[in-house]
Structure formats: C-alpha cells, structure tokens
C-alpha cells in the first residue's frame, strides 16, 4: 500500500496457502560489468568484519580493480585496514543453478594493503617473516605491496588466487543500475573452487554515473604525499564517506 499502483501487492493480498502468489517475471538485464560500482552502506562479513567496497571493471580487456575498506564497527566509522586488489575475469556464462545469475571466475594477481590503525600495524609487524610484505616495515596509513610475498598470511590473502563468482545486474525503482555479487561462505573462507560458488547474493552495489574511466582515474590516482616501505609513492585511500559523496554527486 506504500506505492500506487502496486500490482505485486494486489497479487500477494489475494493469495493464500492454497493459491500462492505468482509474480510477473522481470526482464533479465544483460551482464555489463564495465564501469564503477560502490557500496550503498556499511556491510557485514563473518568473524565480525565490517567493510565497504568499490569496484572498477574494464570490460574491454576483462580486468578489474577492487578497494575493500575494512572497519571495526558496524557503522564503518573506525577504519582498520584497506585492501586494493586487481586481476582479470572470465567471460560469464548463465548459471545452471540460480535463475538470472551469471557465473564468472575472478583471478587476483596483485594486492596492496594499507593498515589504518595501530592494532593492525602491530599485527602485521608481528607476522612471520616473508609472509606479509617487508618484515617489520608496516606503518599506519602507508600502503605496501604484498604481491612479492604471495599475499599476506595474517590477513588470509593468498596470491595468485581464483574465486568462482555469481553475478547479477538489476535496476531499482528509480532505474539505478545495481550489481549483485555472490554471498561469502559463512565460515569466512572464499569461494576458491567451483563447488563453493555462491548461490545467493550480497547487498547490491550501485553503479557510479558518468565516465567510468575518468572516475576510476580520479579515485585511484589522486593520492599524493605518501611513501611506501620501499620509498616509492604510495596510494593513500580516500575515506569511504568521500567515495560515497563523489558517487552521489554523479548520480544526482
């Protein structure tokens, strides 16, 4: 009764346990990953993890970039660490198990980590030598490449790494493009085999309007003044609130 007319509301109202509601099928949108997608709110993961996500997909060469902003609180106000990952993905095929879903395989070949609080810095500096970046070199808000050490054991990151994914695109009532990515296993692991491919979805990401390449360049290159452990220019992650603010500006 909140939206008029509401055909689905009437169908559900007239249904009963002997005559369940049969809702009209929605047209399936083609899977077009190109562009930038961002979380709409703070998300939760197993093991009391909270994060927001920002993805950039380059459809012309099937490469992708992802920013994972982790926090210690459910409001995503207290940052703990940020992960930047990149790699490539396969051509999608229709899912045989989930109607409307598309199956893809994502390979992670590079990753960088930025600890955002002293607790994370201490944990990373206490990790086994050679298992997570340069030994005892971590500093708060300084990014470090963990590709040479094949990931970061302390954070559960292994490189190279393949994840078997389930994707779906839809539009909301205001015709904003939404991207659904497969839900993570409840034990905190990753879908690293076809048998662990998701059959349900996480909260949707919303597509950032405007030119995807310009937006991605702005977000990933406008980081200055920070050096990594090797003395090179290091990326400093923008606050997630600013990312969402930029996304909302484009949408408006």
């Amino acid at each position: 009764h909140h939206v008029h007319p509401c055909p689905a509301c009437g169908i559900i109202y007239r249904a009963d346990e002997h005559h369940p509601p049969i809702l009209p099928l929605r047209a399936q949108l083609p899977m077009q990953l190109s562009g930038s997608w961002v979380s709409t709110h703070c998300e939760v993961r197993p093991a009391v993890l909270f994060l927001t996500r920002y993805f950039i997909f380059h459809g012309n060469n099937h490469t992708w970039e992802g920013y994972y902003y982790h926090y210690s609180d459910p409001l995503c106000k207290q940052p703990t660490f940020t992960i930047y990952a990149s790699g490539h993905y396969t051509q999608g095929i229709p899912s045989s198990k989930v109607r409307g879903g598309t199956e893809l395989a994502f390979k992670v070949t590079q990753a960088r980590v930025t600890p955002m609080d002293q607790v994370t810095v201490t944990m990373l500096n206490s990790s086994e030598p050679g298992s997570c970046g340069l030994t005892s070199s971590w500093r708060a808000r300084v990014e470090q490449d963990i590709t040479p050490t094949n990931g970061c054991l302390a954070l559960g990151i292994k490189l190279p790494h393949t994840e078997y994914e389930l994707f779906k695109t839809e539009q909301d009532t205001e015709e904003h493009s939404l991207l659904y990515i497969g839900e993570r296993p409840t034990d905190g692991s990753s879908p690293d085999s076809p048998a662990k491919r998701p059959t349900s979805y996480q909260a949707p990401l919303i597509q950032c309007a405007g030119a995807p390449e310009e937006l991605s360049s702005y977000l990933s290159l406008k980081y200055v003044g920070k050096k990594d452990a090797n003395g090179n220019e290091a990326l400093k992650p923008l606050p997630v609130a600013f990312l969402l603010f930029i996304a909302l500006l484009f949408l408006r």
Side-chain angles (χ1 to χ4, degrees):
H1 62 277
H2 298 290
V3 180
H4 299 283
C6 178
C9 301
I11 295 173
I12 295 172
Y13 176 78
R14 292 187 294 272
D16 57 41
E17 61 269 27
H18 301 292
H19 303 87
I22 301 177
L23 302 180
L25 293 177
R26 300 183 62 179
Q28 294 185 10
L29 298 177
M31 176 59 63
Q32 296 181 350
L33 286 182
S34 294
S36 306
W37 307 78
V38 66
S39 296
T40 60
H41 60 271
C42 190
E43 301 171 5
V44 65
R45 290 290 184 278
V48 197
L49 294 176
F50 307 96
L51 80 161
T52 56
R53 300 170 291 160
Y54 173 70
F55 289 108
I56 309 164
F57 297 100
H58 307 281
N60 57 335
N61 58 7
H62 281 208
T63 60
W64 68 280
E65 302 170 76
Y67 294 84
Y68 305 82
Y69 298 89
H70 290 80
Y71 301 84
S72 61
D73 66 295
L75 297 179
C76 287
K77 299 290 186 180
Q78 302 172 19
T80 53
F81 63 93
T82 297
I83 299 174
Y84 167 83
S86 63
H88 57 271
Y89 59 94
T90 62
Q91 182 74 33
I93 60 174
S95 173
S96 60
K97 295 183 178 180
V98 181
R99 179 182 298 176
T102 300
E103 296 181 352
L104 305 98
F106 278 76
K107 188 161 189 178
V108 187
T109 56
Q110 295 181 323
R112 302 194 293 264
V113 172
T114 306
M116 301 298 291
D117 64 356
Q118 194 57 44
V119 173
T120 306
V121 170
T122 301
M123 178 190 69
L124 295 177
N125 281 331
S126 301
S127 60
E128 183 180 347
S131 67
C132 187
L134 297 178
T135 305
S136 302
S137 64
W138 293 95
R139 290 182 293 162
R141 298 183 178 273
V142 177
E143 186 182 62
Q144 188 173 153
D145 189 358
I146 59 172
T147 307
T149 54
N150 296 322
C152 179
L153 185 61
L155 297 177
I157 303 173
K158 297 180 181 179
L159 296 175
H161 178 70
T162 300
E163 295 194 347
Y164 296 85
E165 281 288 6
L166 179 72
F167 275 44
K168 179 179 69 170
T169 53
E170 284 189 358
Q171 285 188 333
D172 62 14
T173 55
E174 298 180 353
E175 297 188 352
H176 297 148
S177 295
L178 303 177
L179 175 63
Y180 290 84
I181 301 178
E183 184 63 270
R184 302 295 89 181
T186 55
D187 61 2
S189 62
S190 63
D192 54 6
S193 68
K196 296 176 67 174
R197 190 187 300 273
T199 54
S200 61
Y201 298 100
Q202 303 177 49
L205 305 174
I206 191 169
Q207 187 173 34
C208 304
E213 297 302 327
E214 293 179 6
L215 181 65
S216 65
S217 297
Y218 178 82
L219 290 174
S220 60
L221 297 180
K222 298 295 182 180
Y223 302 88
V224 295
K226 294 291 180 180
K227 302 288 185 178
D228 62 16
N230 298 318
N232 301 317
E233 286 289 338
L235 298 180
K236 177 183 178 183
L238 290 172
V240 67
F242 183 71
L243 291 176
L244 294 176
F245 175 71
I246 293 297
L248 289 173
L249 284 181
F250 276 105
L251 290 172
R252 287 180 182 278

